[in-house]
Amino acid sequence: MNLKKHFVLFFLLTLVGNLNAQNGYDLWLQYSSITDSQLKQQYTSKITGIQVKGSSATLNASTEELKNAWKSLFDTDLETREQGSNLLMLATEDRLSSELQTELSSDLESINDEGYIIKQLSIDEQPTILITAKSDIGVLYGSFRLLKEIQLHKDISNIDISDSPKIQKRVLNHWDNLDRTVERGYAGFSIWDWHLLPELIKPEYMDYARANASIGINGTVLTNVNANSLVLTEHYIEKVKALAEVFRPYGIQVYLTARFSAPLESGDLDTADPLNEEVRQWWKDKADEIYAEIPDFGGFLVKANSEGQPGPNNYGRSHVDGANMLAEAVAPHGGIVMWRAFVYSEDDPEDRAKQAYSEFVPFDGQFHDNVLVQVKNGAIDFQPREPFHPIFGAMPDTPLMMEFQITQEYLGFSSHLVFLPKMFEETLQSDTYVQGENSSVAKIIDGTLSNKKLTGIAGVANIGTEKNWTGHPFGQANWYGFGRLAWDPYLDSEKIAEDWIKMTFTNNPEFVQPIKEMLLDSRESVVKYMTPLGLHHIMDTGHHYGPGPWVSELSRPEWNPVYYHKADSEGVGFDRTKSGSNALAQYADPIAEKYSSPETTPEKFLLWFHHLPWDYEMENGKTLWFNIATTYQEGVEEVQDMIDTWEKMEEYVDQEPYEKVSMLLQIQLKEAKWWRDACLAYFQKYSNMELPESVPEPEHSLEYYKSLEFPFAPGIRPSWN
Ligand code: BDP
């Protein structure tokens, strides 16, 4: 190639690289060029080439990742070499010499099948950095970890890291429909281009897999929980297979949602009764058919008898009957069933917060070994703040899988900057007290509290066809943070924030410090301007965009916000103590006891558990009304603080994300004010009290806020099947 051509190519490649950096496509895998000469010298002298023992698609993926990253970080090639000093060696444990295996025996014992060791050693008297593991996937995870250390500018001179995931099934749940709409999706359409699969394999599929593997996610449910049985037909299984093949080298298993009435809808049978032999056989045959094409298929996720979805109850059977039937179908192939506990009924007058517990807890111990019961973090529905779901801890003989929502259905869609790992951490670290102190939700999820073999965690994805995957550039942090917590549910959200900022933007402390604080505070701000002091589910109905505390006329009582706040001239809040629904009794002591009185209930959960008079005196000596109003106001002011912080950051960020975030923050401010004004205008009707001086009068009348309609708000349920 002549010099001129070479130059043009190089220029184009750099341009493409930069464009990706600017539009956010590369996520936290930016591999930004390390210009500090000392740092660069440290890395490039410690690692002068790569040696790979063995070969497999996963090892190739690891090598490719390292080589591409090297080029981008250091603008040099990481060449494959068979011998020499200062090599990076990739090898699974069985390919190590017996001396090395002995030397590393205690390290190797400390990791599990997906774990890894990264260690500076002398191999054949040559200084070497070794990445080893029990499996190829462990080596891939180790490769990403090494790259993370470099992206964080860590010293690797005496590197010695070993790590393993604490939870087995670390899964994204896509609520993606076959027509490519995404239920509760705010980042464009579904990335799965079903129509053009299996032939057209988009580069995004591989980059999706890389991104997930880099944070340890090892499963993806491709389809919406409000499922369409078509995905189980031969035509679609072929498409699913094509995706599975792209994901396989990255250790990602595919799962599908199973519509319970599929045997009926396929036209094969006239019932879906789980105790009917033909139905049981139908599912076995279906599982065999899928596994014949996709031998590492993960299994099924099921939403049954919930919000109109069909299920075993339609035939007078129980959730156990339904789940175990499917479990038997996938068991011979090593598959699992994730059976959701998100159930509540319009005909049941019982407090919605109690229903899932009442229905599922009696089934404890009755599910087959390959069933995980998937439970949302809170008992209502992915609210900005909820106490942990009381099922956690109440089913010690059943593996429970956590379900978080990464997509921001109830937290401002993709226009609000909210760092969710802070919220996930709050749930995971909550003490359930079911076996005395230190019985955290994390310990239930990772199986250590009651010795569970099968463990899992799911996050409802916020990914779509937007160039930067998540719409809001900071939405990426929520995907990233979910993955990190799925790997280690004890991780500090501050650490997650810091790593993400550095890998995505820059290591410059002038940027990292203020932005980290902004992220960590952002979750509390959204709680303040949407649902302070334990209020919940007062979003406008259907799309859940904006405030709608006045909505009262929907046919299902528990779909109306008035059901949840119960504001009247006497006061506000849901009495879940003995004098009310007694949902509190579903929690262990000392929670049940402590929260039974408003004085000893944490103020963040006050109106979740108590209906209190507007002039109830709070800890600060002011009335409840005063505190509601000033908290809304604080929320608004904190968004203004975020804007002030961001404005100082222009020099550290590329223009495109800088401007996008600036504009989105303005939307967030406008909507925070809307929340404050609409909610206070509404609640004031009942409190009949003046607004505190520090809180401005609502900009418009209550009638105005009530009249707003958003028929085309994104993410709305397009169809239920
Ligand atoms: C609710 C969503 C709805 C989901 C449901 C679920 O509004 O779109 O189908 O959760 O989790 O929050 O099944």
Side-chain angles (χ1 to χ4, degrees):
M1 192 188 297
N2 70 34
L3 214 65
K4 205 166 137 205
K5 263 194 192 156
H6 197 103
F7 177 76
V8 172
L9 187 69
F10 175 74
F11 177 76
L12 281 176
L13 284 174
T14 339
L15 197 69
V16 171
N18 281 346
L19 279 180
N20 279 349
Q22 285 173 351
N23 67 26
Y25 181 82
D26 289 337
L27 298 157
W28 47 89
L29 301 175
Q30 295 290 326
Y31 305 132
S32 308
S33 160
I34 293 189
T35 43
D36 179 295
S37 53
Q38 251 182 315
L39 260 183
K40 183 171 174 179
Q41 166 67 16
Q42 188 209 133
Y43 297 130
T44 50
S45 63
K46 274 276 145 204
I47 297 175
T48 59
I50 183 168
Q51 183 181 15
V52 187
K53 299 265 185 188
S55 120
S56 72
T58 301
L59 289 176
N60 289 347
S62 314
T63 315
E64 275 299 288
E65 191 71 30
L66 286 158
K67 289 192 170 186
N68 290 337
W70 223 252
K71 188 88 198 134
S72 173
L73 285 159
F74 307 116
D75 195 22
T76 90
D77 289 324
L78 182 65
E79 280 176 11
T80 304
R81 299 210 329 244
E82 286 318 315
Q83 55 191 18
S85 64
N86 294 312
L87 294 189
L88 173 63
M89 184 192 282
L90 310 190
T92 47
E93 135 187 63
D94 53 325
R95 296 202 174 253
L96 301 177
S97 66
S98 51
E99 297 84 69
L100 255 182
Q101 290 191 16
T102 318
E103 187 182 334
L104 294 174
S105 63
S106 68
D107 296 271
L108 287 164
E109 261 166 43
S110 73
I111 59 168
N112 63 28
D113 283 353
E114 292 176 294
Y116 56 80
I117 296 161
I118 311 175
K119 206 165 177 139
Q120 171 74 54
L121 293 162
S122 167
I123 300 183
D124 296 334
E125 290 171 24
Q126 304 285 4
T128 306
I129 292 182
L130 171 69
I131 301 181
T132 189
K134 295 190 196 295
S135 63
D136 289 349
I137 287 304
V139 172
L140 178 68
Y141 290 154
S143 305
F144 276 115
R145 175 62 185 270
L146 176 68
L147 289 171
K148 182 172 96 173
E149 297 300 293
I150 297 174
Q151 283 182 283
L152 300 178
H153 298 180
K154 296 255 183 81
D155 187 350
I156 60 161
S157 28
N158 281 309
I159 194 161
D160 186 0
I161 298 175
S162 62
D163 200 8
S164 297
K166 295 192 165 65
I167 297 177
Q168 286 166 0
K169 307 286 177 187
R170 307 176 295 278
V171 182
L172 284 182
N173 286 186
H174 287 266
W175 286 359
D176 294 18
N177 297 310
L178 299 183
D179 64 4
R180 297 194 71 185
T181 54
V182 180
E183 183 155 336
R184 312 311 179 181
Y186 312 103
F189 286 91
S190 169
I191 55 172
W192 320 131
D193 198 341
W194 291 110
H195 184 65
L196 298 178
L197 279 165
E199 290 86 0
L200 186 82
I201 302 297
K202 296 193 163 178
E204 284 88 339
Y205 300 153
M206 193 177 95
D207 288 325
Y208 165 88
R210 284 176 54 231
N212 279 322
S214 77
I215 46 178
I217 287 173
N218 66 0
T220 178
V221 182
L222 300 174
T223 46
N224 191 356
V225 286
N226 296 317
N228 188 323
S229 56
L230 265 187
V231 79
L232 301 176
T233 57
E234 194 187 338
H235 183 59
Y236 275 92
I237 292 171
E238 234 190 300
K239 297 169 190 277
V240 174
K241 176 184 180 182
L243 288 175
E245 278 166 6
V246 180
F247 301 159
R248 188 167 297 123
Y250 292 91
I252 293 164
Q253 285 183 285
V254 297
Y255 300 78
L256 292 173
T257 46
R259 187 163 165 86
F260 203 79
S261 48
L264 265 171
E265 283 162 21
S266 65
D268 295 340
L269 301 177
D270 56 10
T271 175
D273 179 351
L275 297 191
N276 175 300
E277 271 318 313
E278 281 179 317
V279 172
R280 300 174 81 80
Q281 193 56 48
W282 189 93
W283 282 108
K284 284 187 179 141
D285 294 343
K286 187 50 73 184
D288 293 348
E289 183 188 341
I290 296 174
Y291 279 96
E293 298 301 321
I294 311 166
D296 56 351
F297 179 67
F300 295 123
L301 168 65
V302 190
K303 171 175 178 179
N305 294 117
S306 162
E307 299 185 328
Q309 293 299 301
N313 297 170
N314 299 32
Y315 305 92
R317 315 297 184 194
S318 71
H319 286 280
V320 174
D321 297 327
N324 286 350
M325 168 189 68
L326 291 176
E328 278 166 36
V330 294
H333 309 281
I336 61 164
V337 170
M338 298 165 287
W339 191 269
R340 297 176 89 222
F342 178 65
V343 296
Y344 61 100
S345 147
E346 66 208 282
D347 312 313
D348 188 343
E350 196 180 40
D351 175 3
R352 171 173 167 189
K354 292 175 71 177
Q355 294 185 28
Y357 178 110
S358 307
E359 187 152 0
F360 272 79
V361 170
F363 297 138
D364 189 26
Q366 297 179 36
F367 292 98
H368 286 342
D369 286 351
N370 59 335
V371 177
L372 278 153
V373 172
Q374 183 166 311
V375 184
K376 288 190 183 183
N377 58 289
I380 298 289
D381 203 352
F382 296 141
Q383 295 302 292
R385 169 165 279 131
E386 292 193 44
F388 69 87
H389 202 306
I391 288 187
F392 292 117
M395 297 182 71
D397 294 324
T398 307
L400 298 179
M401 182 160 181
M402 170 64 75
E403 179 176 320
F404 285 127
Q405 193 181 44
I406 310 172
T407 190
Q408 292 169 232
E409 175 181 358
Y410 297 96
L411 289 108
F413 295 5
S414 278
S415 22
H416 292 210
L417 190 162
V418 186
F419 182 63
L420 295 177
K422 186 84 183 159
M423 177 171 99
F424 301 157
E425 174 188 49
E426 181 174 294
T427 305
L428 290 165
Q429 293 186 0
S430 296
D431 201 337
T432 66
Y433 295 96
V434 286
Q435 289 183 30
E437 238 176 288
N438 281 324
S439 307
S440 66
V441 172
K443 285 189 178 173
I444 293 162
I445 296 310
D446 77 358
T448 51
L449 195 70
S450 43
N451 211 4
K452 289 279 149 320
K453 282 202 221 90
L454 183 60
T455 56
I457 182 165
V460 180
N462 61 347
I463 298 164
T465 47
E466 285 267 355
K467 277 190 290 188
N468 72 350
W469 304 89
T470 56
H472 201 303
F474 281 78
Q476 298 180 357
N478 296 333
W479 175 8
Y480 176 82
F482 166 75
R484 294 290 304 275
L485 285 166
W487 180 279
D488 180 358
Y490 302 93
L491 210 60
D492 192 339
S493 63
E494 182 173 349
K495 171 92 187 95
I496 298 172
E498 192 173 318
D499 290 354
W500 178 78
I501 295 167
K502 289 182 175 171
M503 292 165 82
T504 307
F505 294 108
T506 167
N507 278 268
N508 188 331
E510 310 273 326
F511 180 82
V512 176
Q513 196 50 35
I515 294 303
K516 185 171 79 180
E517 277 165 28
M518 177 173 93
L519 287 186
L520 293 175
D521 293 344
S522 62
R523 185 297 184 105
E524 203 58 46
S525 306
V526 75
V527 172
K528 288 179 180 174
Y529 65 72
M530 284 188 184
T531 52
L533 302 171
L535 286 171
H536 50 286
H537 220 307
I538 57 174
M539 294 75 197
D540 204 356
T541 49
H543 47 61
H544 299 149
Y545 172 59
W550 45 80
V551 176
S552 61
E553 68 291 336
L554 300 176
S555 58
R556 290 186 63 152
E558 76 298 337
W559 281 359
N560 290 303
V562 294
Y563 172 95
Y564 298 98
H565 64 67
K566 305 209 183 307
D568 55 22
S569 57
E570 303 285 303
V572 62
F574 201 126
D575 182 2
R576 295 196 161 104
T577 67
K578 270 195 198 119
S579 54
S581 79
N582 205 15
L584 247 187
Q586 295 180 340
Y587 289 94
D589 276 336
I591 298 180
E593 190 194 300
K594 204 172 140 205
Y595 291 16
S596 64
S597 148
E599 276 77 42
T600 48
T601 302
E603 287 191 343
K604 61 182 181 188
F605 294 135
L606 198 60
L607 303 176
W608 188 283
F609 290 109
H610 302 280
H611 187 80
L612 296 170
W614 296 103
D615 62 359
Y616 171 80
E617 191 185 319
M618 306 262 298
E619 247 168 67
N620 61 3
K622 307 282 192 197
T623 63
L624 173 61
W625 168 248
F626 180 97
N627 276 279
I628 291 179
T630 52
T631 311
Y632 271 111
Q633 175 63 13
E634 272 173 36
V636 171
E637 286 167 10
E638 288 172 17
V639 179
Q640 184 59 56
D641 293 345
M642 286 160 73
I643 292 174
D644 297 344
T645 304
W646 188 248
E647 276 174 357
K648 296 190 198 108
M649 297 298 133
E650 189 166 3
E651 61 182 292
Y652 307 108
V653 193
D654 289 338
Q655 204 56 19
E656 185 174 327
Y658 177 75
E659 276 168 10
K660 187 164 186 183
V661 172
S662 301
M663 290 186 270
L664 289 169
L665 282 170
Q666 289 301 333
I667 297 177
Q668 189 168 357
L669 181 63
K670 187 179 82 184
E671 295 186 355
K673 288 181 179 165
W674 169 32
W675 267 95
R676 175 199 62 195
D677 291 353
C679 291
L680 291 179
Y682 172 75
F683 288 128
Q684 196 175 29
K685 218 173 65 161
Y686 296 101
S687 79
N688 264 318
M689 291 163 84
E690 294 283 307
L691 283 174
E693 253 173 46
S694 58
V695 183
E697 287 297 323
E699 203 180 329
H700 300 282
S701 68
L702 177 58
E703 290 320 305
Y704 167 83
Y705 295 115
K706 283 172 135 175
S707 72
L708 300 176
E709 280 181 30
F710 306 94
F712 303 116
I716 200 160
R717 262 192 184 137
S719 67
W720 278 68
N721 50 40

